[in-house]
Amino acid sequence: MTDSAPLLEVRNLRTEFLTDAGPVRAVDGVSFEVEAGATVGIVGESGSGKSVTALSILRLLAENARIGDGSRIAFRGRDLATLDEDEIRRLRGGEIAMIFQDPLTSLNPVLRISKQLVEGMLAHGRQSQAEALRHGIDLLARMGINAPERAVSGYPHEFSGGMRQRVMLAMGFANNPSLLIADEPTTALDVTIQAQILDLLKTLNREFGTAVLLISHDLGVIANVCERVLVMYAGEVVEEGPAEALLAEPRHPYTWALLNAVPRLDQEPPADKRLTAIEGAPPDPSEPPSGCRFRPRCPFAVERCGEHPDLLPVAEGRKARCWVTQAGERLLKPSTAAAVSAPAAEAGQPMLSLRNVVKHYPLRRDALFSPRKVVHAVDGVDLDIGRGETVGLVGESGSGKSTIARLITRIQKPTAGSIRFGDIDLATADRSVLRPLRRRIQMIFQDPYASLNPRMTVGQILSEPLRFHRLVRGPEEAKARVGELLEMVGLSARAAERYPHEFSGGQRQRIGTARALAVEPELIIADEPISALDVNIRAQIINLFVGLQQRLGLTFLFIAHDLAVVRQVSDRIVVLYLGKVMEVATARDLFAEPLHPYTRSLISAAPIPDVAAERKREHIRLAGEPPSPVAPPSGCRFRTRCPVAQGICAEIEPPLAEYRPGHRAACHFSGQA
Amino acid sequence: MSQAADSAAEAWHADRFGRWRRRFGLAAFGAAVVLMWIAIAILAPVIAPYPFEAVDVTKRLLAPSAQHWLGTDALGRDVLSRLIWGSRISLFAGIVVVAIGAALGVLIGGVAAYAGGRAEELMMRATDLVLCFPPIILAMAIAAALGIGVRNTMIAMLVVWWPKFARLARSLVLVQRSQEYVEAAVVMGYGSGRILFRHIVPNAVGPLVVLVTLDVGQAIITFAGLSFLGLGVVPPMPEWGAMVSEGRELVDQWWVATFPGLAILSVVVGFNFLGDGIRDWLDPKSRRR
Amino acid sequence: YAQKKTTLVVGLDISDGRNYDPARSADLTPPLTMGAVSETLLTLATNDLVNVKPSLATNWTLVNNGAAWRFTLRPGVKFWNGDTLTAEDVKFSLDRLVNVKDQPATYASNMGPVTIIDPMTVEIAMKNPKEPLLLDLTAPSFAIYSAKMAKAQGAVSEPGADQNDKATPWFNMNSAGTGPYRMVGWERNVSVTMQKNPNYWGTPAEFERVIVRHIADGAAQLLAVRRGDVDIAMNLSAEQLDSLKGSADVSVIQGASTDTLYFVMTSNPEMNAVLAKKEARQAVASAIDYDGLIKGLVGGFAERSPNFLPNGIAGTTAEQTKEFGWKEDLTKAKALLAAAGVPNGFEFELIYPNAAYFSTSYQLMTQKIQSDLARVGIKMTLKPMDNVNWRAQFNGAKSQATTAPWNSPSPNPYLWTGASVQRVAVRMGWKPSQEILDLVAQGAAENDVAKQKAIYEKYQRILVDNANYVTLMQPIYRVAVHKNITNVKLTPNVWKMELAQIKPAS
Amino acid sequence: MFRYLVMRVAGMAVMALLATLVVFLIANQVPGDPVLAQLGDLAASDPNMVARYRARWGLDRPLSEQYWIFLKGIFNGDLGVSISTQRPVLDDIRQYAPATVELATVAFLLSIAVGIPLGVLAAIRRDTWIDNLARFISLAGVSSPTFWLAFIMLALFYGGLQIAPGPGRIDLSVISPQTVTGLYLIDAAIARDWEAWRNAAGHLVLPSIVLASGTLGLITRTTRASMLEAMTQDYVRVARAKGLRERKIVIGHLLPNALIPVVTLGGLAYAVLLTGAVMTETIFSWPGLGRYTFRSAVALDFPGIMGITLVVAAVYLVINLLTDLSYALLDPRVARERAE
Ligand SMILES: Nc1ncnc2c1ncn2[C@@H]1O[C@H](COP(=O)(O)OP(=O)(O)OP(=O)(O)O)[C@@H](O)[C@H]1O
Ligand SMILES: Nc1ncnc2c1ncn2[C@@H]1O[C@H](COP(=O)(O)OP(=O)(O)OP(=O)(O)O)[C@@H](O)[C@H]1O
Ligand SMILES: [Mg+2]
Ligand SMILES: [Mg+2]
């Protein structure tokens, strides 16, 4: 082992799964290095083989996985692929630690934190039980957990997601590893928490000198943490290079597409509100296309792409697997289309107007006479939606976004308040009044898998509402209309005969959209319709919405937790925190001059896929986690995490005051940071 | 683990039948056994070598032989013929009890779960009440009270059987009810009946089919057990449990009790395999390699 | 087992036994125990059911113009605790039987007041001197026990005993009699345990202990007796007994009984219009394969009496059956059917209890009869039910036909004849003629054996012709005995097998 | 927590009483007449005797009054007197219960002791011979009718091979131990009568295997399934990534999770074993509650049936509670929910 040898060297890694449908080659000839103390990121769409690559290193794959013969995974010069079980076991958690995506399921629910924390240390036999526990408590403190002595005796369910991920990190660092593999450690967390964890990762890397292999599908996260980036597509590395250069000027069309498919917080959305989306979906890993695997979706493809390209150097320290950039072509920034004048929102009477809407969920009584606890999911929300307007609703998880959607669509009945739709108060309307209204208000759901009835064909799903609401006469007409609807959302009419499970997530989301459109609604509530999708598919769906909105003049309530996305599609934005509105403004005003400290921290917490820009940004980091909606804080709900909170905030609840026409905020110190 | 990927792939192809066998083999075997018994039940008049009630006390308790493959019973009747005819009753009782029980349970449990509130509470309490009793003893008491006979015994079994399905149906409906596609149906304005029967029930049917299939076996055993205790069929109708009961006092004439017992075992195993198979097939998580 | 020599184990289904109090027990199996632990004034020899033999009484004469019997007690008889038997004990035991007013009191319906003449002499009056009493006194309910011991446990013999008597729990675990053994324990559905009575007046018992072991299952009893775990297995079926053929360890002994199994058909037209016709009933009686039933189902171990009275009682014999009892005759059956106006047969329903009978079961027998009757076109449908329902239906005169067992606590012929024209007749909707009622009364009053026989033969002939009752069989009981023991003899009522005579094999 | 317990107990008690009412109503719909059935032929035709019996058992009163008497009895700890055995129902139950409890407990321990390890092994060594064995055992267990299995076992091991002791709780030649608890194994141990202990233990072998067959299969199956389920969970991969040994992962991580559903099932199984031994008891001449219940049911012995119903409901109640409590012990999530 020479000094110049990298800490980890992966050569020609091939991993395949033997499945019922045939062998699946999930990773196909991946090579890369991680130097000691380095930070390396891997990005790529879902299914591109990121996790399998990571798991292959520690040989933590499922039973049906096989690592190919020519693969070499050298860690400090030893080939991990050929170590026996006991030797690799000693490396795991010792020299190489790994943390996973879902902190909720990564901790054993029935064991105390202390046990889970120390067992990794004890397994490597370096410490006694007592020492291990003390070390563990120190680590927890280091990871930013309050009162760690008390915390260790708790059970995982007593911790929030962010806390659990900190515990996971503590476990990872327990044995001072020289390499930490983090597989999407922040994907399941809210932006504000994500920012905390990423900061922590950076510090740990710096202070412990631990190399980090960070996996993410979010270029912004990678840009935030990593020096080098690998981009994976269909089991291959398609591009590799220093983060800054790679993000500034991608040399592979796939990287280019990834970069342009996400709306950026630091850039105004184009006037037509569209994103650059590449069509199609990643290839089926059991039958990769011949030649360049990206060719079927590549907007730059040339004839040569029928030949499979190698990963070759394209610049100093950079490699790409592309014939086009090999030949020296540059991948230009997509041209922004000429602005189409969006129909301005009509002034005057709003189409829908919520006044002081409240929804409380009583929890089940623990005993007969114990007081009933109540979840204050939505706690006095005012909201107006004008005709033809798109209103965005953002907020952290649990802030009550979905509840508002459910109340407007009357899946649930509000506890108090009024929801006026035209002349009718939806909050109190009974079944018969509601029925004709149903088709005028529609909803698009978050989960593309759960929101379509798996036992019905797409045709049945779409024609049922048509016939139920007597919008068509006879099956012939229904069939024709179904065809039209499918084409409207960019699917072929033939899709009508198939079942939902035969479609990909993005396609299903289109079907769900078609279903909502079928009854020709005036208002569509879209509850995080893109959260579950990959960036590219996301871009496709956003473009679809934008197109529909412009063509049909629909009114949208668009719910998301991703600020950039909301900004991309919305005219006006409402920021929600713990069941209360914190700020309302037009998209432009909100970003140009956020008034509420919460809005400001949200904006600054979202990472940007641009290393230089990221470095320049001002960061307001929120401490802690949102309080429980069972017992919201007195006064201003945000005060427990607010960087500018003062005494008054605990006593007086700030009203949602108008600071400028159309720009309201609920803060005693609006605009002061 | 690091064996040659290519040879692994080859082996994978070569073992296609093996995989099919591992995945569907047991289910296929179960289905075959069940179908065989159904065929036997249907064809009983054709294939039974003797009438099932042909008493001939001069030929009693003959050991299995060429004339009487499975021997004769205490009244000189051919055990094989009685076994063949007996399949009709066992299958009929098992299938009908479970079918009606399931239909009833689904109706009650499904509606209760969907309606919620009082109706649900009432149904839960009613099932609690039935579940207070050990099933076999309750069935026994009811069968004894109603009088012996296939129909009465089946009624007794139904009384103890429906709560199981009502509870299952309830939990299935509860699971489905919170699914987004149901919310979508609500947003569309569909009525409760439509949502329940067109959307929820078809999706809850899978686990139900599994339970129903597995349960036919249990119902057959229970019916045979009640028969064994003398609460099942009216003689001379042949029934497997009753046949075991007739033979259990015979120590040297093992064939009288052994064969009907084996018949019960085989048909129940058949249904269990089939049910397991359907479960595996419906549930991608439990799919085997 | 060295132990075997001193302990006798009997395998028996004793689940029917609800108590072991002589004044209360009316179940089938307790007499086996009660007969071993206490004695009656008079007894019967195994082979003679007509003439009573001395037991605790050595001498008896009619007194008071034939209205009472005077008994002289056997001298020197001691209870197991060493006390001597006196007339006091006799009066106490018999008075308690009557005054506890439980089921056995009905057997003593002809017993009048009991009077102590002197310590060794006692007189028992009869309510109806025309009816016999002596045979009744041989029944186990008339056991004599120690008044002192019983009173100490709360026994009461005066009127009001039905409220005040508290001794039954003690009698369930203990005995106070003079028998060769004494009872020391009963665990319901487990066992009854007896110990040798050291003060027995006769030949002392051969075993230190006797355990009557509850084994419900015939098959289990068979296995147990084969292995020598029990010495006697009492509830074996014909097949199980057959399987012991050729066994070196276990032999089968047999003994005639006075129990019968009879087949009854209603003559109530509301129950079944066809059966109500005598010819139809006769057709049924002619179509049954009696020999097949006996040879086929109980291995030939049964006789058949001509009708309600069993062979061995009041001069009834198997020859009479051959002479005038029902025989299988299908041609005759068809002719009778034609005479009844149903040449192509008819249908009726038979109820039966879901239980074992003797060494077979009602279920098998009725199925056999069902197939017999089918030969002449008579369709008999079966309706099994549990014992309780069956009793209620039969006793309540709600059955068209059934099979029922008859056994009697003592060999008094009137216990059969009286019942046949009274209680049982009612159940069948049969109104007996004056002629047969007179015959029954005459038979009961007749002391001359030959004359009595003639009266009862006439009585039986009428019953046969009437065809309400058809006797199917009179079982010959068989039990399996392990070679560990010898000298096992059965009495006509098998549950009274004389345990005292059994000896260990030397 | 305490209040929760009280509410549960009260709720179940009400259910149990309702259950007796149901039984009472069923029993009274029956065509048979217990008096006619209990009285002999002679006595049944004596109207005075019949009337005395009716009065003695309270059968001459109106239904509602009969039920009221029964209820009053319960609150005085009196379940009435059985018509068919003529003893207090409580005495009967006290006599028969130990045999059943002993048998059910041994069968339960057997199912647990074999079922859990077998299920665990089967899941870990999936698709190997041991998995197949486990599947076979669980399938055979749930598929074979108990009454038949009992017959075959007895014929084979007692009658044929003569390696097992016969029916009953103890050999006829062995004196049963002095009754303290009624459980022979415990009583014999108290009396230090090891001969009797061995003998009684031997007698438990066949019936407990037969009785356990169904639950053993169920427990094996459930353990296997929940182990497999647990094995797919992320925390297992995490544990592996920490460098733990497989043994430790199985014992320390998988089992505590996989056993949770098994506990629920186990409680249920014990209740089933306690109350479902009719067939086994019949064939093995086991003097237990199962047969007593069967006999009471067919003899239409109202007091007997109602007493049994109440006891059974109580057993279910206690077992349910214990199950819930152990559930809370095993699963901290539940414990907190309750405690709050
Ligand atoms: N156990 C398995 N059996 C069969 N195929 C598998 C298995 N695990 C992963 N795969 C396949 O391997 C491919 C790569 O999966 P991998 O988990 O590495 O993707 P990923 O890039 O991490 O995606 P995500 O962003 O969704 O986590 C996918 O096509 C997946 O279906
Ligand atoms: N049926 C319910 N019963 C009790 N509490 C509920 C229920 N539905 C939602 N809640 C609670 O109400 C609060 C708001 O939930 P809601 O689903 O509206 O949040 P959200 O903003 O949509 O979050 P996410 O981004 O996670 O979807 C949460 O704390 C949630 O736990
Ligand atoms: Mg992944
Ligand atoms: Mg939501």
Side-chain angles (χ1 to χ4, degrees), chain C residues 299-323:
Chain C
F301 287 90
E303 315 174 56
R304 200 152 67 83
S305 64
N307 210 295
F308 215 82
L309 271 174
N311 293 347
I313 298 290
T316 312
T317 63
E319 280 66 44
Q320 291 179 330
T321 315
K322 291 216 182 74
E323 196 192 324

Side-chain angles (χ1 to χ4, degrees), chain A residues 89 93 105 108 116 119 124, chain D residues 234 241-243 245 253 257 340:
Chain A
R89 189 183 59 71
T105 57
N108 194 330
Q116 306 194 44
E119 66 182 357
H124 293 280
Chain D
D234 284 351
K242 280 190 235 172
R245 283 171 206 281
H253 283 262
N257 280 285
E340 264 174 7

Side-chain angles (χ1 to χ4, degrees), chain A residues 55 60 86 89 92-93 100 102 105-111 115-116 119-120 123-124 155 157-158 168 171 366-369 373, chain D residues 3-4 7 231 233-235 237-246 252-254 256-257 260 330-333 336-338 340:
Chain A
L55 293 170
L60 288 170
D86 208 42
R89 189 183 59 71
R92 291 178 190 151
F100 299 91
D102 194 348
T105 57
S106 287
L107 287 168
N108 194 330
V110 305
L111 301 182
K115 168 155 201 248
Q116 306 194 44
E119 66 182 357
H124 293 280
Y155 285 98
H157 64 89
E158 297 161 15
M168 291 301 297
M171 289 187 332
D366 303 311
L368 196 60
F369 302 106
K373 284 190 202 131
Chain D
R3 185 174 276 150
Y4 164 80
M7 296 309 296
M231 278 158 72
Q233 299 294 314
D234 284 351
Y235 55 77
R237 210 171 43 183
V238 171
R240 221 165 259 146
K242 280 190 235 172
L244 298 192
R245 283 171 206 281
E246 281 303 310
H253 283 262
L254 290 173
N257 280 285
I260 293 171
L330 280 175
D331 193 340
R333 289 165 292 191
R336 198 174 82 143
E337 210 172 87
R338 293 279 158 67
E340 264 174 7

Side-chain angles (χ1 to χ4, degrees), chain A residues 17-19 24 26-27 44-53 62 64 101 183-184 215 217 285 534:
Chain A
F17 293 94
L18 307 180
T19 70
V24 171
V27 173
E45 257 168 304
S46 183
S48 55
K50 307 183 294 292
S51 296
V52 173
T53 303
N64 59 337
Q101 169 170 355
D183 188 358
E184 313 219 17
I215 292 171
H217 60 257
D534 259 323

